[in-house]
Amino acid sequence: MSLMSDAYAPVLASVRESSPLVQCLTNSVVVNVTANALLAVGAAPVMADVPEEAGECAAVASAVLVNLGTPTAEQREAMLAAASSAHLAGVPWVLDPVGVGALGMRTAFAQRLLDLEPTAVRGNASEIRALAGVGAGGRGVDAADDVDAALDAAREIAQRTGAVVAVSGPVDAVVAVRRVARIHGGSALLTRITGGGCSLGAVTAACIAAAGDAFAGAVAAHALYAAASERAAAASDGPGSFGWRFLDALDAVSPSDLAAVRVDETTAVRG
Ligand SMILES: Nc1ncnc2c1ncn2[C@@H]1O[C@H](COP(=O)(O)OP(=O)(O)OP(=O)(O)O)[C@@H](O)[C@H]1O
Ligand SMILES: Cc1ncsc1CCO
Ligand SMILES: [Mg+2]
């Protein structure tokens, strides 16, 4: 069945109205593009990622993103402080397990973070499989598995932690223990620029804060990326012009554009 668009389409207006403060502890490749994506959707970024301030900031943020792309020792300390503080304060936080499965230290570190019960986990299929302990991960930060091959893994993580788990790929999936939504469309040009997935983690955090609901917020964020990337790709010559057109499109997408994205929901009977 189709997920009623009135369950997630209003989230966009809510992000623009409430401008959620999203604290990002993210990798050094995508800091700027992530802040720009948040501004383009109407949210307010703050990249507070030093140990002395990370917990303080998380307690007052609307949502927190923890992205493991370039996890220095100092950042790992800050991530534990931010996730603990968010968990304690009831602030939604999103884990993006970049490169988990492909690289050793971050694979173990991600398990420590799961104990702090993220509100949502967002990654590609290989990362989600590796996080659940199946599969060896992708190559570096890229996926080597299909989204459908990660659904059981996503459900296992949802069951273990209470998180909503979003798996990205040609068709995205948002998974809770007894629900799966598939978000169709989008553009493969998102995989040809830095931060296509990483900024989606930050926008997912913004949408969850604005929605007050992890499942609707995660679906809204993925539908927004599908609509905006299609709009940008239609006018682009390649990855360079797609990058800036995508930011313009995040700003220009309307609630009815979002409602037009194909979203199918099924009720999972297993698990
Ligand atoms: N083949 C594709 N066609 C259309 N959209 C795609 C395709 N592959 C990925 N996407 C979209 O690109 C975005 C990022 O997904 P991707 O799976 O590339 O994340 P990721 O691997 O975590 O990215 P990153 O390299 O930033 O960490 C999502 O919105 C997803 O829907
Ligand atoms: C290229 C790259 N390396 C570590 S993080 C990152 C950004 C995309 O995930
Ligand atoms: Mg990624």
Side-chain angles (χ1 to χ4, degrees), residues 237-251:
D237 301 317
S241 57
F242 175 77
W244 62 262
R245 286 188 194 281
F246 180 61
L247 287 177
D248 284 354
L250 286 175
D251 174 64

Side-chain angles (χ1 to χ4, degrees), residues 6 22-23 59 72 74 128 150 179 197 207-208 210 243 248 261 263:
D6 54 4
V22 182
Q23 179 188 4
T72 62
E74 191 184 33
I128 298 303
R179 295 172 79 180
C207 288
I208 288 173
D248 284 354
V261 174
V263 178

Side-chain angles (χ1 to χ4, degrees), residues 151 155 173-176 178-182 215 264-268:
L151 292 184
R155 202 171 293 117
V174 172
V175 179
R178 294 185 203 292
R179 295 172 79 180
V180 181
R182 282 188 177 75
F215 198 87
D264 297 324
E265 180 171 0
T266 53
T267 305

Side-chain angles (χ1 to χ4, degrees), residues 11 16 61 95 137 147 169 173 177 197 216 246 259 271:
V11 176
R16 290 171 177 165
L95 173 65
V147 170
V177 176
F246 180 61

Side-chain angles (χ1 to χ4, degrees), residues 59-97:
V60 298
S62 311
V64 178
L65 169 71
V66 173
N67 171 303
L68 299 183
T70 53
T72 62
E74 191 184 33
Q75 235 195 8
R76 297 199 303 279
E77 193 186 330
M79 286 169 173
L80 289 172
S84 303
S85 173
H87 186 229
L88 199 68
V91 170
W93 76 277
V94 175
L95 173 65
D96 188 333

Side-chain angles (χ1 to χ4, degrees), residues 67 96-99 122-124 127 141-142 168 196-198:
N67 171 303
D96 188 333
V98 181
R122 189 225 73 81
N124 63 46
E127 291 159 349
V141 300
D142 292 332
S168 59
C198 299

Side-chain angles (χ1 to χ4, degrees), residues 19 70 130 157:
S19 191
T70 53
I157 295 165

